[in-house]
């Protein structure tokens, strides 16, 4: 766990995979859509909407967040992990960090 915390402290000059303009824009658009969905759920609760309808919307938000997480995880593997392994710099720590991230993402 120590190495995970150390690796998460990146330098300002380190670019992440999702920084590519189209990937970042895609993620931002998805997050904005999710934000709107959450506001919609808040309105539903304010208006005392039917419980099942609220739960259905919550399920949609959870799925949408999982999709964003999947995109970020894929970008992390394709960019950050690959780069670390290719350079031979901290490959073991990067792999450990990846395993920890996947476990957190999957709530294992």
């Amino acid at each position: 766990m120590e190495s995970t915390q150390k690796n998460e402290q990146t330098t300002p000059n380190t670019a992440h995979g999702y920084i590519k303009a189209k990937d970042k824009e895609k993620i931002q658009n998805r997050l904005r859509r999710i934000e709107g969905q959450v506001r919609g759920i808040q309105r539903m609760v304010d208006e005392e909407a039917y419980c099942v309808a609220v739960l259905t919307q919550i399920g949609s938000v959870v799925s949408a967040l999982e999709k964003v997480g999947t995109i970020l995880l894929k970008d992390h593997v394709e960019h950050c992990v690959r780069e670390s392994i290719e350079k031979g710099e901290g490959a073991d720590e990067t792999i450990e960090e990846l395993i920890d991230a996947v476990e957190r993402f999957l709530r294992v």
Side-chain angles (χ1 to χ4, degrees), residues 39-89:
R39 281 195 302 270
I41 293 169
Q42 289 172 325
R43 272 191 305 278
M44 291 175 78
V45 170
D46 286 343
E47 297 167 1
E48 298 178 6
Y50 186 57
C51 299
V52 174
V54 176
L55 290 169
T56 299
Q57 291 305 309
I58 289 171
S60 295
V61 168
V62 169
S63 293
L65 282 170
E66 287 173 346
K67 180 62 178 176
V68 171
T70 301
I71 292 168
L72 287 170
L73 188 58
K74 181 177 182 271
D75 283 350
H76 179 64
V77 170
E78 291 175 349
H79 181 265
C80 303
V81 174
R82 175 182 286 149
E83 183 178 288
S84 177
I85 291 170
E86 285 175 351
K87 288 182 177 180
E89 297 172 0

Side-chain angles (χ1 to χ4, degrees), residues 21-49:
K22 74 173 182 130
D23 291 340
K24 186 175 180 179
E25 184 177 331
K26 180 172 44 172
I27 291 167
Q28 290 287 10
N29 288 338
R30 285 180 181 273
L31 291 171
R32 284 186 198 97
R33 211 171 306 127
I34 292 166
E35 182 180 26
Q37 287 177 293
V38 171
R39 281 195 302 270
I41 293 169
Q42 289 172 325
R43 272 191 305 278
M44 291 175 78
V45 170
D46 286 343
E47 297 167 1
E48 298 178 6

Side-chain angles (χ1 to χ4, degrees), residues 10-16 19 83:
T10 58
T11 61
N13 296 331
T14 302
H16 303 287
I19 297 300
E83 183 178 288

